[in-house]
Amino acid sequence: IVDGSVVIVENVVRQLSAQRGGRRDVRTGVREATLEVARPVAFAVAIIIIVYVPVLSLRGVEGKMFTPMALTVVFALAVSLVLALTWVPALSTFVFRKGVAEHDTRLLQTIRKRYEPMLERSLRRPRRTFVWAGAIFALSLAGVPFLGAEFVPTLEEGAIAMHAIRLPSVSLEESVRAVTRVEQTLRDHFPDEIETLVSKTGRPEVATDPMGVELTDVIIMLRPQSEWSLASTKEELIESIERVLEEEVPGQAFSFSQPIEMRMNELISGVRSDVAISIYGEDLGALKRAGDELLAILREVPGAADVKAEQVAGLPVLRARIDRDRIARYGINASDVLDAISAMGGRRVGEVFEGQRRFALQVRFREDARSSIEAIRQIPIAAPGGALIPLGQLADLSIEEGPAQISRDRIQRRLTVEANVRGRDLSGFVSDAQERIAMAEVLPPGYFLEWGGQFKNLREATERLAVAVPIALLLIFLLLFMAYGTAKPALIVYLNVPFAATGGILALLLRGMPFSISAAIGFIALFGIAVLNGVVLISYILQLQQSGAPLDTAVRRGALTRLRPVLMTAAVAAFGFVPMALATSAGAEVQRPLATVVIGGLVTSTLLTLLVLPAVYVWLGDD
């Protein structure tokens, strides 16, 4: 935001220093200096605004996270341009009313002394300079496959959301006892790490979160990490908790996430894990067999954790097959038999009102009458003549294993296999898993699968940016072409984009950060700043040529004159992102990749702006 003002003030200082001792007053000098750079500054700010257009195209979670930032930058840039062209010249007229003598600081003098011989070498051999720059860019591209990719960095919430899974046939009472054992075990083994525990079994009264009584959410609130004694990182703590629970509370499966992260995953894709594989088909048995094979494959993929599938089977059910010949002999209707069977779980017979509230009135058999299949067979059914016939004589009763749940989507039955990813990037994990699944051929004919979870969000956001970013870059080129009237200067300025990307990629590799939507936003911001530096340099060289200076002289003088504003604009932007790059507070996980990309990209972009762009201009420019 301050880059435009930096360029204008630097040009004002240079202009007033050059005319010192002349007859023209300060106001005239400030006006001429401002008008001289007003056009390139306006175009540069417009280019940066266009750069943020792809961010505004994002939807979903990534749109809600980054659209406010993009809008803030766009509005701030528009206001800063107006202030740079009006308020800054007016303030300069007041501050420099007694004139100003341009001089370099010791630091800038040192930089200039080292920069001049490097510039001379690059201008003497422009092609070699360009080849070296291209080789560095190619080297950075070779490192892209090693970056990996994820949707957004995982925020540290200071809590763990543990999902406890039991058999579908478990009773509510047993689930409560099992959760109590889990809570007591965690309190006994991790007193320094865990502050409090909150458990929720089954679904609430308002069923916004459908869960059976075999499922429990345990929210583990953690103490500050400095107080931990058994683990140094959250990953180590989760591994310790999982190991202790498997030893102390067997018979349950556990998966680990974070409270907000779990709910966000569930709202976005319907699952609570990082990756979800939805298998579609008609037969539940075939779906379960395919799901079991996928479980075995995913467990072998490096980085897989908390691999689980929907429990579609294992729920005991009472199956009653009415003997219609027998009920016909007794004159009993099938509906009478079915009514008695339905009363096992409760049959609605009316409503009870308490003011404006109403409750269903249900009747069901006593516990001793439905505690076993033999007791159920003895339930009497009244015949029309008044005789009481045992239910076992009218229907064949058996206990069978039925479906625990049936999920449907796209007019088909669906089974979901889930997994969390630890210790590696999300995109690399999914690619590895897809290769193994394709080789195994686990799906029957007519069945298909779909990848979901955070990977789906990453893919959709990447596809959207893959369309929006090229359009924005094309608009930037058209704007540069309009500014210069020819394609050569626009293309030379455009070289800053790959040069800037070089530093961003290398910075991510050095810090071990995968590519994410946050890093993509950093590249978008970086491209705008890099193009601004190119515009500042090339515009001044063109002005010198138009005033009659030869090509070599214009390039050399332009590079040396614009050294200070280019360094200042890059340094101001880089220093502004340093707190984000080093932040450790809440939300820092999302900020760090963005800031890392910008700082790393500005280093290479500034170096190549000052060394490669002048050489390329000498090589391709016209006298």
Side-chain angles (χ1 to χ4, degrees):
I1 291 174
V2 301
D3 287 346
S5 299
V6 168
V7 174
I8 290 177
V9 171
E10 197 277 339
N11 205 50
V12 167
V13 172
R14 183 180 57 82
Q15 187 90 342
L16 294 180
S17 299
Q19 72 180 38
R20 188 173 51 162
R23 297 180 179 178
R24 291 180 297 177
D25 58 8
V26 171
R27 185 178 302 174
T28 302
V30 170
R31 183 187 304 113
E32 291 180 357
T34 302
L35 293 176
E36 183 179 309
V37 295
R39 185 178 180 184
V41 167
F43 272 104
V45 172
I47 287 170
I48 299 178
I49 291 175
I50 293 175
V51 162
Y52 280 91
V53 170
V55 183
L56 301 178
S57 69
L58 295 174
R59 297 293 181 267
V61 175
E62 66 277 12
K64 294 185 181 299
M65 290 179 64
F66 295 108
T67 297
M69 183 202 77
L71 290 174
T72 302
V73 173
V74 168
F75 291 133
L77 284 172
V79 174
S80 70
L81 175 60
V82 175
L83 294 177
L85 297 178
T86 56
W87 185 76
V88 170
L91 187 61
S92 299
T93 303
F94 174 75
V95 173
F96 304 134
R97 63 186 181 276
K98 296 182 180 180
V100 61
E102 184 182 18
H103 63 278
D104 293 337
T105 63
R106 291 185 179 179
L107 176 61
L108 191 58
Q109 290 174 359
T110 303
I111 295 175
R112 191 182 296 276
K113 287 180 181 179
R114 298 195 177 186
Y115 171 61
E116 287 187 20
M118 296 171 63
L119 176 64
E120 291 296 332
R121 285 196 296 269
S122 65
L123 292 179
R124 283 197 303 266
R125 298 176 179 177
R127 295 186 180 182
R128 179 177 295 183
T129 302
F130 181 75
V131 170
W132 273 106
I136 295 174
F137 176 61
L139 181 64
S140 68
L141 292 181
V144 171
F146 299 98
L147 281 177
E150 62 183 2
F151 178 48
V152 290
T154 301
L155 295 176
E156 178 54 55
E157 300 177 24
I160 298 174
M162 186 178 72
H163 198 50
I165 308 168
R166 294 169 288 275
L167 293 175
S169 57
V170 71
S171 65
L172 177 60
E173 292 76 15
E174 178 58 33
S175 288
V176 172
R177 285 193 291 269
V179 173
T180 303
R181 291 197 298 270
V182 168
E183 292 179 344
Q184 191 60 48
T185 300
L186 293 178
R187 289 194 183 95
D188 294 341
H189 286 79
F190 304 96
D192 297 331
E193 288 77 16
I194 297 177
E195 182 175 0
T196 185
L197 295 160
V198 180
S199 301
K200 178 179 73 69
T201 300
R203 66 172 178 84
E205 184 177 356
V206 180
T208 56
D209 184 15
M211 289 171 51
V213 296
E214 76 277 9
L215 304 176
T216 299
D217 285 337
V218 182
I219 307 300
I220 305 173
M221 306 302 296
L222 302 177
R223 299 182 185 275
Q225 198 163 341
S226 58
E227 300 179 11
W228 294 3
S229 60
L230 299 179
S232 57
T233 64
K234 193 173 183 179
E235 289 73 19
E236 293 180 4
L237 179 60
I238 290 175
E239 291 177 1
S240 300
I241 290 175
E242 191 171 16
R243 183 172 58 253
V244 168
L245 291 179
E246 288 177 353
E247 295 175 357
E248 301 289 336
V249 193
Q252 301 183 66
F254 303 95
S255 66
F256 297 86
S257 181
Q258 299 184 103
I260 299 175
E261 181 184 5
M262 180 182 68
R263 291 306 175 197
M264 289 298 297
N265 288 339
E266 192 172 26
L267 289 172
I268 294 169
S269 56
V271 297
R272 302 184 173 199
S273 304
D274 298 335
V275 179
I277 308 175
S278 298
I279 312 171
Y280 293 91
E282 290 299 329
D283 183 65
L284 280 178
L287 288 175
K288 186 177 185 305
R289 288 190 294 272
D292 292 339
E293 293 185 35
L294 285 180
L295 279 177
I297 295 173
L298 286 180
R299 287 195 176 104
E300 298 299 323
V301 179
D306 309 328
V307 183
K308 60 181 182 295
E310 283 185 286
Q311 299 188 99
V312 296
L315 185 67
V317 296
L318 174 66
R319 181 177 292 277
R321 297 179 178 85
I322 298 176
D323 191 329
R324 295 188 177 274
D325 292 337
R326 291 183 182 179
I327 65 174
R329 286 197 298 270
Y330 290 112
I332 299 175
N333 294 324
S335 61
D336 297 332
V337 180
L338 295 176
D339 287 343
I341 294 173
S342 66
M344 299 291 171
R347 178 174 175 79
R348 183 168 179 167
V349 295
E351 289 183 336
V352 176
F353 291 88
E354 289 186 5
Q356 296 295 324
R357 304 171 64 191
R358 62 176 65 186
F359 304 91
L361 179 62
Q362 291 184 325
V363 295
R364 65 174 179 174
F365 292 107
R366 298 193 312 270
E367 179 68 26
D368 57 352
R370 52 186 172 86
S371 58
S372 67
I373 191 170
E374 293 301 327
I376 295 173
R377 287 194 177 102
Q378 300 304 317
I379 293 176
I381 305 297
L388 297 178
I389 312 300
L391 178 60
Q393 296 184 17
L394 304 176
D396 294 329
L397 303 177
S398 61
I399 300 295
E400 299 180 1
E401 185 178 283
Q405 70 179 54
I406 301 176
S407 301
R408 299 189 66 88
D409 188 16
R410 299 184 176 183
I411 323 177
Q412 296 191 64
R413 288 177 175 175
R414 182 197 68 193
L415 183 141
T416 302
V417 180
E418 307 175 22
N420 288 320
V421 181
R422 295 186 197 146
R424 66 179 299 185
D425 65 288
L426 179 65
S427 180
F429 171 83
V430 172
S431 299
D432 194 356
Q434 287 176 336
E435 291 179 2
R436 299 189 183 207
I437 292 173
M439 294 174 58
E441 297 181 356
V442 300
L443 296 180
Y447 289 65
F448 66 95
L449 57 84
E450 183 181 73
W451 292 81
Q454 290 194 18
F455 172 74
K456 183 179 180 181
N457 300 329
L458 171 63
R459 183 180 58 194
E460 292 177 351
T462 304
E463 291 174 352
R464 191 178 296 275
L465 289 177
V467 175
V469 171
I471 292 176
L473 293 178
L474 178 61
L475 291 176
I476 292 173
F477 177 78
L478 294 176
L479 197 60
L480 290 172
F481 183 80
M482 293 170 56
Y484 297 126
T486 58
K488 277 187 179 180
L491 289 174
I492 294 174
V493 171
Y494 234 58
L495 288 177
N496 256 9
V497 172
F499 293 162
T502 299
I505 295 171
L506 294 178
L508 289 177
L509 286 171
L510 289 175
R511 298 197 70 182
M513 295 180 176
F515 179 82
S516 62
I517 300 302
S518 178
I521 304 303
F523 278 108
I524 290 173
L526 174 63
F527 293 160
I529 302 172
V531 171
L532 170 62
N533 283 339
V535 169
V536 169
L537 177 61
I538 300 301
S539 297
Y540 188 65
I541 293 175
L542 285 172
Q543 288 179 8
L544 293 176
Q545 283 187 281
Q546 292 171 0
S547 63
L551 176 63
D552 291 344
T553 304
V555 171
R556 186 175 290 102
R557 181 181 170 188
L560 292 173
T561 303
R562 289 307 189 200
L563 173 64
R564 181 165 56 188
V566 169
L567 290 178
M568 289 181 64
T569 54
V572 166
F575 290 149
F577 280 99
V578 167
M580 294 174 62
L582 303 178
T584 57
S585 58
E589 295 83 2
V590 176
Q591 300 173 8
R592 282 198 293 265
L594 189 156
T596 299
V597 167
V598 174
I599 294 174
L602 283 175
V603 172
T604 57
S605 173
T606 303
L607 290 174
L608 295 172
T609 297
L610 295 172
L611 296 175
V612 180
L613 258 62
V616 174
Y617 196 92
V618 168
W619 179 24
L620 301 178
D622 299 323
D623 288 322

